[in-house]
Amino acid sequence: MPVFCEVALPVPLDRTFTYAVREGQSPQRGARVIAPFRTEKLIGVVTAVSEQRPADFELRFVEAVLDQEPLLSEQLLELAEWIAHYYLAPLGEVLRAMLPLTAEVRRTVYYRITDLGRDVLAEAVGDEGECVFPGPQVRGTGGTRRQGWGTQVRGLPPLAPSHPTEEDLSVGAPAKRAKDGAPKRGGKALSVEEQDLDRRVLARLQSGEAVKVSTLRTATAASLPVLARLVKRKWIARETLAGERDARRMERFAVLMAESACGNGRELTKKQQAILGELAARGGEVPLAELRRRNPISSTLQTLVRRGLVRIEERAAAFHLGGLPPTAAAIELNAAQKAALAALTAGLGAFRPFLLHGVTGSGKTAVYLAAMQQALDRGFSSILLVPEIGLTPQMAGLLDRAFGERVALLHSALTPEERSEQWRRIRRGEAPIVVGTRSAIFAPAPKLGLILVDEEQDQSYKQEETPRYNARDVAVMRAKLAGAVAVLGSATPSLESWRNAAQGKYTRLELGERVMNRPLPEVELIDMRREFRETGREELFSRSLIEQTRAALERGEQALILLNRRGYSFAVICRACGEKLECQNCAIALTHHKSALGAEAELARAGQRLECHYCGYKRTVPARCPKCESEYLYYLGAGSEQGEERLAEIFPGARIGRMDRDTVRGRHDLEHLLARLHAGEINLLVGTQMIAKGHDIHGVTLVGVVGCDHALALPDFRAAERVFQLIAQVSGRAGRGELEGRVVVQTYYPDHYAILAAVEHDYAAFAERELKYRRWMHYPPFGALANVLVQSPKLEEAAGWASTLAKSLLPNQTTPEGVRVLGPCTAPIARIKGVYRFHMILKSGSRRALNAALRGMLAHAEEAGVPRRNLVVDVDPLRLM
């Protein structure tokens, strides 16, 4: 029986931790345990068990074993270890991302007073029970009192502006005080109210017992930031306890009893008769929540329950896959689709990676569904990844029609209980068809035979927090470990996948024509420089786009307008001094948002909302420039809100909708918006790149592309690729039904090769040109890339750490050859959420050399005292901002 185990914990440390196992506990590799870590109880995953004591040091015991059998298979554990190695991510954080089971564990936070906090509280208790804070004593009438730190007379709040810190209480430590003698907090002295709040917290905890955070906050009115400040001062300690909880979703039903037909021999009121009548009409049972919405008087229902006419039953809640109804009946596969399906089917049972390259509207989704059916017939399960939650309603509708209850859904918009329920269904084999966003690649599908990645080029597959994996690449690796077929599908593949196919690493399958021989939309290019010369004014929409939109609406058709910026205007600028209104936490201009539609001049009006899309900071537009006091503040640029407003002015009779992150916030917002679009309730939709993501709306015949070429000016080597992909993808929304489509592209760069290739629907020409530039500059796919980000709230600290790490990467005996370092320098966005950012870019022709260089850098960072949490290592980055 093992007596020791290695546990991977979700902490930013590149190691596992050894724990002792109590008698009766039998953890297995791949099972979850609750283990103490510092003052907390964390959920970890066992990676190894042993009977041999690893070293001569004191061990802590595992608190509890949550799983009697391994929750993660050896295949998934091997995948986790590969991700941790390749992306240089802590194994514990990788395993946490793999297990969406937070609903099954109850975590409770407690606070306890420390010895230092007890000393401070004791110092604060003066003669005769008066509570004062430490300071020099002054003798006078009425006894001893203290001053300097403040005085509190019975019944009055303390006058002290602050408490002493741990440094203040230490011998010889200089006091951090404001000019009036009060200690500082973040450069400011604590107010009397804040000081009194600190005292109340310490007084509530003085018994020494741990107090639950909710109890402590209720008793003292202390906020979480206040408690965090006291923890930082080491006056109180934060502890967490973890335990199992029942995560099953339950639903209560009102059930009609047999005796209800005769009223149980008693006369019934009209309200009681109404409830019994509804139950009888609904088959004898109704969900309790629905019944209460219709009959809000709960006492009436309780009376019926007491009289034995109705009983309340609790059952497992049903999960509704949801989704949009399919827009058209299933069509027979054409010759190209059948050839692609035959190739995929022939590969089942072994590792075979495919690149399915098909123009927009060529029927790639139909091939996916047919391939999943073939896999299911052979006893294999399948995983289908979509880049955004916005695509899951449409795909869920198709899968529901094809596979019914055998489909499971995994994405971040589900509640924790729903995610846990779906994950368990997959693991039990009840749902061999899995659809979801990037995290669905970790679904515990038994006997996995097919993995499909739709729109494989999409940036959404790259996670922008630890672990920073790309689900597309993880999908290929998982298919390799499982001996499964991997299919990467797109009309505009990433250049990495395109080159892998050219080198023979992937088998390329082509769908060169749209289904039913429908033509690709004709694209018109509008030179906005010429438009300005001819009209003499700067307009958001060109004359041609307005005329063609009007014609489409008059014919009863639908139109989409892509305006790839959120908000009303993307900056507010002072015309007098050029000052740009920036976020107080981030080095980025604030975006202007309007609360309602209405005609408005360019002049900014005081009181309207400015918002930072990075940290969420909000403020109103000031009446005057904060720098020069000028009143001439103007909006700069246009976003989707302004586009919606201008379209409403131009087409007052149009039924206009908007699709961006401001209108699509909740789980069902996008589904509702798309349902209205499919039903024809919206005939003119404006939005950001969300409208370009694979939506199949047969009534759309016109697409307008406005202002997406601004990305060409960004300091990013992928800029041209992204602009081409965006134009090509949104163009593909036009003409997917019986009517032909048309696209109008407005640009200030009409001669750029990416835009010209997108106009001609010529991906091969674009790829050939772009790959030539990438080869010259040794950028992916002709080299490996990593972005190292150094962060700190202190500018000098971040700069110093970046310099230290850069020196460790200079050519020497330990640094691998062939690794080039660019930087360090300030990141393009120098500060986000109050944290300063410096970065370095590492390039190498060898992934092994790059990985070794990064590991050497992390080892040097640990030796130099650079905290791991202040370092971000992004391998194969898609964003360098």
Side-chain angles (χ1 to χ4, degrees):
M1 176 181 175
V3 292
F4 302 102
C5 64
E6 292 292 321
V7 180
L9 295 174
V11 294
L13 297 172
D14 298 306
R15 58 177 67 94
T16 57
F17 300 87
T18 305
Y19 288 89
V21 179
R22 288 189 171 90
E23 187 176 354
Q25 294 178 335
S26 56
Q28 300 182 51
R29 174 172 156 84
R32 295 172 302 159
V33 295
I34 298 177
F37 183 79
R38 296 177 180 170
T39 61
E40 299 191 33
K41 304 293 190 298
L42 301 180
I43 309 300
V45 176
V46 177
T47 59
V49 293
S50 172
E51 296 182 2
Q52 183 177 359
R53 188 180 183 90
D56 189 19
F57 55 85
E58 184 179 354
L59 293 176
R60 303 179 74 178
F61 283 90
V62 166
E63 292 281 334
V65 178
L66 298 180
D67 308 304
Q68 297 306 313
E69 59 182 26
L71 203 61
L72 292 173
S73 65
E74 283 296 325
Q75 182 192 115
L76 283 174
L77 288 171
E78 188 176 354
L79 180 66
E81 290 165 354
W82 177 84
I83 293 172
H85 176 80
Y86 183 83
Y87 293 102
L88 287 95
L91 179 59
E93 298 197 333
V94 175
L95 292 169
R96 176 174 59 181
M98 279 188 165
L99 290 169
L101 302 178
T102 56
E104 298 182 4
V105 179
R106 178 183 289 106
R107 292 173 58 86
T108 309
V109 177
Y110 292 85
Y111 287 93
R112 188 190 303 272
I113 193 169
T114 63
D115 291 339
L116 179 59
R118 199 182 301 279
D119 292 342
V120 171
L121 186 62
E123 287 270 340
V125 180
D127 295 347
E128 299 180 1
E130 293 175 341
C131 186
V132 297
F133 283 97
Q137 296 186 5
V138 177
R139 291 286 179 181
T141 57
T144 303
R145 65 184 178 89
R146 299 177 185 266
Q147 68 176 18
W149 288 95
T151 306
Q152 181 188 0
V153 184
R154 291 190 189 90
L156 296 178
L159 302 178
S162 180
H163 294 164
T165 64
E166 183 179 4
E167 290 182 350
D168 298 323
L169 296 176
S170 63
V171 177
K176 297 180 180 178
R177 299 185 179 180
K179 291 182 180 179
D180 60 357
K184 294 181 178 179
R185 176 190 54 120
K188 297 180 180 179
L190 288 176
S191 67
V192 173
E193 292 77 10
E194 288 175 315
Q195 180 187 227
D196 186 48
L197 185 58
D198 289 357
R199 180 188 60 79
R200 292 202 303 270
V201 172
L202 293 177
R204 177 63 180 82
L205 297 174
Q206 66 180 336
S207 67
E209 296 182 359
V211 178
K212 190 184 299 185
V213 61
S214 57
T215 304
L216 183 61
R217 293 184 63 187
T218 300
T220 64
S223 64
L224 291 177
V226 168
L227 297 177
R229 171 163 54 82
L230 295 179
V231 169
K232 188 174 182 180
R233 289 185 169 199
K234 299 183 180 179
W235 290 6
I236 64 176
R238 182 180 184 273
E239 301 175 356
T240 60
L241 293 180
E244 292 184 80
R245 66 180 289 266
D246 188 355
R248 291 177 299 172
R249 296 184 306 112
M250 305 302 291
E251 188 174 11
R252 302 177 75 192
F253 284 79
V255 180
L256 187 66
M257 301 292 286
E259 297 85 355
S260 300
C262 59
N264 204 18
R266 299 183 185 179
E267 186 177 350
L268 301 175
T269 66
K270 291 183 178 180
K271 293 178 181 178
Q272 293 170 347
Q273 291 175 3
I275 292 177
L276 295 178
E278 182 171 355
L279 288 172
R282 297 281 297 276
E285 58 183 43
V286 175
L288 194 58
E290 182 180 339
L291 187 63
R292 282 176 171 166
R293 282 196 301 269
R294 297 174 181 270
N295 303 274
I297 307 300
S298 60
S299 59
T300 305
L301 181 61
Q302 292 172 359
T303 301
L304 293 174
V305 172
R306 285 197 303 268
R307 293 174 61 178
L309 302 178
V310 175
R311 74 170 183 271
I312 304 299
E313 290 185 0
E314 192 173 60
R315 307 172 187 170
F319 180 81
H320 301 287
L321 190 63
L324 298 171
T327 55
I331 59 174
E332 185 179 351
L333 299 183
N334 59 29
Q337 290 172 310
K338 289 179 179 178
L341 176 61
L344 300 181
T345 304
L348 289 174
F351 171 57
R352 288 283 304 278
F354 291 89
L355 174 61
L356 181 59
H357 177 225
V359 299
T360 56
S362 59
K364 295 184 290 295
T365 301
V367 175
Y368 298 158
L369 297 178
M372 285 189 282
Q373 183 62 60
Q374 292 290 330
L376 194 61
D377 293 343
R378 288 164 172 74
F380 294 113
S381 56
S382 304
I383 297 176
L384 171 60
L385 300 185
V386 293
E388 299 231 8
I389 296 172
L391 291 179
T392 52
Q394 178 176 302
M395 196 64 74
L398 293 170
L399 292 171
D400 186 51
R401 182 178 69 177
F403 304 108
E405 295 183 355
R406 293 178 293 179
V407 180
L409 189 63
L410 281 178
H411 57 69
S412 59
L414 300 178
T415 66
E417 290 77 13
E418 288 173 334
R419 295 184 73 190
S420 175
E421 177 185 282
Q422 293 295 294
W423 196 90
R424 294 285 184 179
R425 286 185 63 226
I426 297 167
R427 188 172 181 272
R428 291 193 298 265
E430 297 172 6
I433 304 294
V434 182
V435 60
T437 50
R438 61 175 176 261
S439 61
I441 191 56
F442 302 128
K447 201 177 179 184
L448 182 61
L450 179 64
I451 303 176
L452 305 117
V453 184
D454 189 31
E455 306 295 349
E456 63 89 26
Q457 84 291 342
D458 200 283
Q459 294 182 73
S460 300
Y461 286 124
K462 184 72 160 74
Q463 176 141 309
E464 295 300 327
E465 58 187 20
T466 303
R468 294 173 178 264
Y469 66 92
N470 190 318
R472 176 198 65 204
D473 300 334
V474 173
V476 175
M477 177 53 67
R478 182 165 186 194
K480 181 178 181 180
L481 295 174
V485 169
V487 183
L488 312 182
S490 178
T492 55
S494 64
L495 292 177
E496 289 85 351
S497 297
W498 185 259
R499 187 162 187 266
N500 280 337
Q503 292 181 314
K505 295 180 180 178
Y506 300 166
T507 301
R508 193 169 79 204
L509 306 175
E510 291 283 349
L511 300 177
E513 295 181 355
R514 284 188 159 184
V515 295
M516 302 177 70
N517 295 317
R518 291 169 181 159
L520 288 167
E522 181 183 344
V523 183
E524 178 184 356
L525 196 62
I526 304 296
D527 185 348
M528 294 303 288
R529 301 171 302 180
R530 181 178 177 181
E531 185 81 6
F532 177 76
R533 289 194 299 267
E534 293 179 356
T535 63
R537 60 183 183 274
E538 189 80 23
E539 294 288 353
L540 182 57
F541 303 119
S542 64
R543 294 166 295 175
S544 177
L545 179 57
I546 292 173
E547 292 169 4
Q548 294 192 53
T549 302
R550 179 176 288 112
L553 297 179
E554 289 175 351
R555 293 193 300 266
E557 299 163 3
Q558 294 172 297
L560 302 182
I561 306 293
L562 170 69
L563 187 50
N564 198 27
R565 281 187 182 271
R566 285 174 58 193
Y568 190 88
S569 299
F570 52 78
V572 176
I573 192 169
C574 175
R575 284 287 178 88
C577 69
E579 179 75 2
K580 200 166 46 174
L581 297 186
E582 289 194 345
C583 174
Q584 68 175 13
N585 305 314
C586 310
I588 199 76
L590 292 167
T591 300
H592 171 234
H593 288 261
K594 289 183 66 176
S595 57
L597 295 177
E600 182 166 331
E602 284 187 351
L603 191 65
R605 296 180 181 177
Q608 294 175 358
R609 179 166 60 94
L610 298 175
E611 181 177 345
C612 175
H613 292 162
Y614 283 85
C615 71
Y617 169 75
K618 297 181 179 67
R619 63 161 295 175
T620 57
V621 178
R624 293 180 177 275
C625 172
K627 183 177 181 180
C628 71
E629 295 295 323
S630 169
E631 61 182 358
Y632 297 105
L633 297 176
Y634 283 86
Y635 298 127
L636 185 65
S640 54
E641 286 183 18
Q642 187 174 156
E644 181 185 22
E645 178 180 291
R646 296 290 175 85
L647 290 172
E649 295 170 357
I650 298 169
F651 309 109
R655 303 181 299 277
I656 301 175
R658 192 174 93 237
M659 183 187 294
D660 57 27
R661 294 297 179 194
D662 299 303
T663 60
V664 180
R665 292 183 177 273
R667 174 177 168 183
H668 300 294
D669 291 344
L670 183 59
E671 188 172 336
H672 178 64
L673 184 60
L674 289 175
R676 293 178 59 208
L677 189 62
H678 282 286
E681 296 177 22
I682 296 173
N683 61 358
L684 180 55
L685 181 68
V686 60
T688 58
Q689 62 181 348
M690 294 178 70
I691 71 173
K693 298 288 182 74
H695 305 300
D696 186 24
I697 304 141
H698 287 193
V700 174
T701 59
L702 177 69
V703 169
V705 182
V706 179
C708 78
D709 54 0
H710 71 274
L712 293 172
L714 294 176
D716 191 342
F717 72 93
R718 298 184 191 272
E721 182 180 10
R722 288 179 181 144
V723 169
F724 172 85
Q725 290 171 343
L726 184 57
I727 295 176
Q729 289 287 343
V730 75
S731 298
R733 302 315 106 202
R736 299 175 75 93
E738 298 297 329
L739 300 175
E740 293 186 5
R742 187 171 178 81
V743 181
V744 178
V745 178
Q746 298 181 181
T747 180
Y748 285 94
Y749 304 98
D751 299 321
H752 196 282
Y753 65 94
I755 292 176
L756 291 175
V759 167
E760 296 297 327
H761 306 289
D762 194 345
Y763 176 84
F766 165 76
E768 181 180 1
R769 184 91 172 258
E770 180 68 12
L771 286 172
K772 186 185 299 181
Y773 296 140
R774 300 278 184 93
R775 184 182 291 108
W776 289 344
M777 302 302 295
H778 303 286
Y779 276 118
F782 299 100
L785 201 70
N787 188 32
V788 178
L789 195 65
V790 185
Q791 306 177 108
S792 174
K794 300 178 181 178
L795 176 62
E796 299 82 3
E797 194 171 54
W801 287 342
S803 177
T804 298
L805 296 182
K807 290 177 183 177
S808 74
L809 292 168
L810 292 174
N812 55 48
Q813 295 180 353
T814 60
T815 302
E817 294 184 1
V819 178
R820 184 181 178 188
V821 181
L822 307 179
C825 64
T826 304
I829 302 178
R831 183 167 49 94
I832 294 179
K833 298 181 180 179
V835 176
Y836 293 94
R837 310 163 77 242
F838 287 78
H839 77 148
M840 298 175 287
I841 296 176
L842 279 67
K843 298 165 62 176
S844 177
S846 166
R847 293 191 177 277
R848 181 169 302 194
L850 179 65
N851 188 280
L854 291 170
R855 291 193 177 280
M857 182 203 69
L858 290 176
H860 181 79
E862 187 172 0
E863 294 174 0
V866 181
R868 183 67 171 87
R869 63 179 176 273
N870 292 79
L871 287 179
V872 174
V873 179
D874 192 0
V875 179
D876 298 336
L878 295 184
R879 294 183 178 91
L880 299 175
M881 301 299 286

